[in-house]
Amino acid sequence: MWGLLLALAAFAPAVGLGLGAPGASVLGLAPPATTEARGSARGSTPAPQSSPVQPPAGKDNGTSERHVRIRIVKKKVIMKKRKKLTHPRPMVTARPPVTTTPVGVLDLPEEQEPGCPPLGLESLQVSDSQLEASSSQSFGLGPHRGRLNIQSGLEDGDLYDGAWCAEQQDAEPWFQVDARRPTRFSGIITQGRNSVWRYDWVTSYKVQFSNDSQTWWGSRNCSSGMDAVFPANSDPETPVLNLLPEPQVARFIRLLPQTWLQGGAACLRAEILACPVSDSNDLFPKAPALGSSDPLDFRHHNYKAMRKLMKQVNEKCPNITRVYSIGKSHQGLKLYVMEMSDQPGEHELGEPEVRYVAGMHGNEALGRELLLLLMQFLCHEFLRGDPRVTRLLTETRVHLLPSMNPDGYETAFRRGSELVGWAEGRWNHQGIDLNHNFADLNTPLWEAEDDGLVPDTVPNHHLPLPTYYTLPNATVAPETRAVIEWMQRIPFVLSANLHGGMNDFSYLHTNCFEITVELSCDKFPHENELPQEWENNKEALLTYLEQVRMGITGVVRDKDTELGVADAVIAVEGINHDVTTAWGGDYWRLLTPGDYVVTASAEGYHPATRNCRVPFEEGPVPCNFHLTKTPKQRLRELLAAGAKVPPDLRRRLERLRGQKN
């Protein structure tokens, strides 16, 4: 539908629909002259899984002429068949280490906290043209793929693989980021290569800086003055944070892998923590100001803070809000919903119901925060008398579920936005991916269509839950059951899931037209990015809610009693999907502008058909029906009421029964 497409186009930076989307040479530090000097900086010996890479003979290490003897423990990794890691190891947060002193003792500075936000490799604020490397194994393993949490394809050698990987023969590999302006670099986060087939990760690296990409200097230990060697990864997925001993102001930052997994390659994914600094010479264009003028709470909210914020919104706007729970998570956290309407807690006849759902994957935090921001915004603007918001909440009943997977979010929140990784917190506490936990209704419908059974034998709407899904031992998460019961209880017309696979289920099991919205390349953006993300998505969130007024709406009534007829089927000629009326007889059918032939039918009634036109002006267009009972239905009602059947009618019924026998 045009309106829906226009609404979707406003979502930034990407939306998914769920229905049927050579670099400069190294001019700084050269590799060490001996294998002993390339060990891990975590202790007197390197990480067991690392193996020194032999540099060309005769190279000077550029740091000290003394040889530092470190005992190297080699562990050969042999894998005949590699399987994808499904349960990553616990996260490692490393303090900024330094190289060993002449006697082999580590000198570690005091632990620091990251003060600068991400530069934007993961969120694509840093473009591909800003990333360079000494070499690459292939295009799919080029520097543009060295972004934190980037995922590979399923096939080995995919065009877009899961890391930057240097060539095997590259003895001095490096990965470089151009910030394009003076920047204060404060830390680095690294991962290994995401791959179904290979294990590759860097176990230690050095860091260099430059203002012109020609002259470089390294990050040094404050006490010894030697170049710092930072410990990197011990598995492919766990993000490892290293804070610099001292922040460095420069335009370029370069990571120089020192050791990596034996038998593998120097592969990494990275994010850089950096703060912009003022350019006194005005040589670089000023960075665009990011933010929002809306007076909202721009921060990440854990379960306790989310509940408190929703309570505050309810207290600020008690006449248009209601907070209710649709159930509990596996760990007993309530699934809170914010309802916003001029009559909260009540389904008004003819008023459509709309919902937003977020947090199906617990580590995808942006959708959660956008819904918390949306409820604050709607409350604030309603109190200001904004006509658009007033009309929306007067004519529509809005339901906002910011956290479908609160257990997973609490896990992700404790790790923090920079260190949570791609998988941690994704699943609920049972290890169930809620994205794939809804019943598959597509397959039986497609099979029935292939057999010519739709819609005469098998309906094309309100498909029942399959038998296997209702068994006591069915693997259905409590969060999933709660959402399904919520769908069944309220006659939703329109919905958007701020990422997840329940849209098809919603469309086939209920009347609700639902889409999936992919919000960001960064699942858990830094807090300082939330104001801009709100501005990116605010208009689209509002516009999509307004699409519920596109199409036709009406009430199906009994012609004699004027009472609403529940579960009447509304069929549109030429569209192989019907909707049904709610318990009061009201219905909503989303349609693009045009002329339609619409039929209302119900058990015990003669069907009624009429033409309904949807103009380009904003609707919805009224399209009401009055249905007349069939004689058989009238008879049933008479008999149920204890009335006597007239003699002539009784004799006629007896003759009909005899003919049938």
Side-chain angles (χ1 to χ4, degrees):
M1 293 185 282
W2 289 112
L4 291 176
L5 293 175
L6 290 173
L8 294 173
F11 279 99
V15 175
L17 287 175
L19 293 175
S25 61
V26 178
L27 297 176
L29 299 177
T34 62
T35 58
E36 289 84 358
R38 303 199 79 166
S40 169
R42 282 185 184 269
S44 59
T45 62
Q49 295 163 308
S50 65
S51 175
V53 177
Q54 183 69 42
K59 291 277 187 177
D60 182 70
N61 63 11
T63 57
S64 174
E65 294 181 357
R66 289 175 291 184
H67 291 271
V68 181
R69 293 194 172 273
I70 302 175
R71 182 168 173 256
I72 303 295
V73 179
K74 296 184 179 180
K75 183 176 181 181
K76 196 170 184 179
V77 179
I78 302 176
M79 300 179 185
K80 293 184 178 179
K81 183 177 180 180
R82 297 181 172 94
K83 297 182 179 179
K84 186 176 182 180
L85 298 179
T86 54
H87 298 286
R89 303 176 188 178
M91 178 187 63
V92 178
T93 303
R95 291 181 293 179
V98 296
T99 51
T100 54
T101 64
V103 294
V105 180
L106 288 177
D107 181 13
L108 296 175
E110 294 183 1
E111 189 169 359
Q112 306 173 49
E113 292 296 329
C116 289
L119 189 62
L121 275 72
E122 182 178 8
S123 64
L124 298 183
Q125 293 183 52
V126 173
S127 67
D128 289 352
S129 62
Q130 294 175 254
L131 305 176
E132 292 187 72
S134 56
S135 65
S136 301
Q137 291 184 14
S138 66
F139 176 80
L141 293 168
H144 65 293
R145 302 299 288 173
R147 302 175 182 274
L148 198 72
N149 287 316
I150 205 163
Q151 303 295 297
S152 68
L154 294 178
E155 299 297 329
D156 193 22
D158 192 83
L159 184 62
Y160 297 101
D161 221 318
W164 160 71
C165 290
E167 293 180 350
Q168 295 278 359
Q169 63 269 26
D170 189 349
E172 302 176 0
W174 51 263
F175 174 82
Q176 175 179 307
V177 182
D178 178 6
R180 290 184 172 170
R181 68 188 81 253
T183 303
R184 185 169 74 251
F185 299 108
S186 63
I188 301 99
I189 305 171
T190 58
Q191 288 172 307
R193 175 182 180 180
N194 175 265
S195 174
V196 179
W197 310 100
R198 290 186 55 87
Y199 286 93
D200 297 290
W201 59 79
V202 171
T203 56
S204 67
Y205 61 90
K206 292 183 179 182
V207 183
Q208 293 180 336
F209 309 92
S210 176
N211 289 318
D212 56 8
S213 77
Q214 300 298 315
T215 302
W216 296 84
W217 71 93
S219 179
R220 296 179 180 271
N221 173 26
C222 298
S223 58
S224 70
M226 300 177 67
D227 293 311
V229 178
F230 299 92
N233 302 88
S234 57
D235 64 58
E237 293 297 334
T238 306
V240 175
L241 166 66
N242 282 292
L243 298 178
L244 300 177
E246 288 186 352
Q248 300 289 320
V249 175
R251 173 177 170 177
F252 299 87
I253 183 171
R254 178 178 285 181
L255 309 184
L256 299 92
Q258 300 295 291
T259 58
W260 45 90
L261 188 69
Q262 183 178 8
C267 298
L268 60 79
R269 293 174 285 168
E271 182 60 270
I272 308 298
L273 303 184
C275 293
V277 297
S278 59
D279 175 23
S280 58
N281 298 320
D282 262 346
L283 297 178
F284 302 93
K286 292 184 178 180
L290 303 179
S292 173
S293 60
D294 294 327
L296 309 176
D297 186 7
F298 293 105
R299 61 188 176 96
H300 289 292
H301 298 77
N302 62 6
Y303 179 78
K304 182 178 180 181
M306 178 190 73
R307 185 173 58 181
K308 181 179 179 181
L309 184 145
M310 295 177 75
K311 183 174 184 292
Q312 291 172 342
V313 173
N314 177 240
E315 292 173 345
K316 184 177 180 180
C317 296
N319 296 328
I320 60 164
T321 63
R322 179 176 73 104
V323 179
Y324 66 96
S325 172
I326 62 171
K328 293 183 178 181
S329 70
H330 184 260
Q331 288 190 301
L333 301 181
K334 291 184 178 181
L335 307 183
Y336 285 113
V337 177
M338 172 66 76
E339 177 193 335
M340 308 192 77
S341 172
D342 61 337
Q343 296 290 333
E346 176 185 344
H347 171 71
E348 299 180 68
L349 189 70
E351 185 170 292
E353 311 261 1
V354 188
R355 71 171 181 259
Y356 276 135
V357 178
M360 174 178 277
H361 290 153
N363 62 348
E364 295 179 2
L366 181 55
R368 173 193 186 103
E369 295 308 321
L370 287 178
L371 294 193
L372 294 177
L373 292 167
L374 179 61
M375 62 181 71
Q376 297 174 67
F377 177 81
L378 292 176
C379 171
H380 181 266
E381 294 302 303
F382 186 87
L383 294 179
R384 286 183 59 246
D386 179 83
R388 182 186 188 187
V389 172
T390 300
R391 182 184 181 189
L392 176 65
L393 298 184
T394 301
E395 299 181 358
T396 312
R397 191 178 177 208
V398 179
H399 304 256
L400 308 176
L401 172 59
S403 184
M404 180 179 169
N405 183 4
D407 294 351
Y409 179 83
E410 291 302 290
T411 298
F413 181 84
R414 286 192 292 269
R415 295 303 189 192
S417 64
E418 276 60 77
L419 297 176
V420 66
W422 183 85
E424 195 167 14
R426 175 185 177 92
W427 301 276
N428 80 337
H429 193 257
Q430 296 170 282
I432 296 176
D433 188 345
L434 304 182
N435 183 35
H436 302 289
N437 198 225
F438 288 84
D440 175 20
L441 302 182
N442 301 43
T443 301
L445 180 64
W446 293 337
E447 291 176 349
E449 286 182 340
D450 292 341
D451 295 336
L453 302 177
V454 178
D456 297 329
T457 304
V458 177
N460 59 13
H461 63 279
H462 286 79
L463 271 66
L465 294 174
T467 303
Y468 76 86
Y469 200 80
T470 61
L471 296 176
N473 61 345
T475 306
V476 184
E479 299 90 342
T480 307
R481 292 194 185 276
V483 171
I484 292 176
E485 293 171 0
W486 185 40
M487 292 178 178
Q488 296 169 336
R489 190 165 61 249
I490 297 177
F492 291 112
V493 182
L494 185 65
S495 174
N497 183 11
L498 307 189
H499 184 69
M502 67 181 180
N503 46 10
D504 291 341
F505 175 87
S506 176
Y507 186 66
L508 296 175
H509 188 62
T510 73
N511 285 339
C512 189
F513 178 86
E514 181 165 326
I515 65 169
T516 292
V517 179
E518 301 282 1
L519 284 170
S520 172
C521 296
D522 188 349
K523 292 185 174 210
F524 208 129
H526 192 271
E527 280 189 353
N528 78 327
E529 298 176 47
L530 293 178
Q532 186 60 45
E533 291 289 359
W534 167 246
E535 289 300 318
N536 291 344
N537 293 283
K538 174 174 64 175
E539 180 59 30
L541 289 168
L542 296 172
T543 302
Y544 186 74
L545 292 176
E546 293 168 337
Q547 302 311 299
V548 77
R549 298 200 291 263
M550 176 183 291
I552 60 175
T553 185
V555 181
V556 179
R557 302 181 188 274
D558 185 297
K559 186 176 181 180
D560 298 326
T561 65
E562 287 293 327
L563 296 176
V565 179
D567 296 321
V569 176
I570 306 298
V572 180
E573 188 177 281
I575 299 179
N576 189 28
H577 184 77
D578 304 334
V579 299
T580 59
T581 57
W583 52 85
D586 47 348
Y587 78 92
W588 305 264
R589 187 61 170 92
L590 300 174
L591 294 170
T592 54
D595 293 319
Y596 298 92
V597 178
V598 185
T599 299
S601 61
E603 185 178 358
Y605 292 88
H606 292 293
T609 301
R610 59 173 297 184
N611 295 322
C612 300
R613 167 171 288 186
V614 180
F616 283 91
E617 293 77 18
E618 188 176 1
V621 176
C623 193
N624 299 306
F625 293 88
H626 283 82
L627 301 185
T628 303
K629 291 187 178 73
T630 63
K632 186 180 291 187
Q633 178 65 21
R634 293 182 185 276
L635 180 60
R636 289 197 192 99
E637 292 177 356
L638 287 172
L639 294 175
K644 293 183 178 180
V645 180
D648 59 336
L649 179 58
R650 186 171 62 252
R651 288 192 294 269
R652 183 181 176 187
L653 290 174
E654 289 173 354
R655 285 197 304 269
L656 290 173
R657 292 194 190 100
Q659 292 174 1
K660 185 176 181 180
N661 293 332

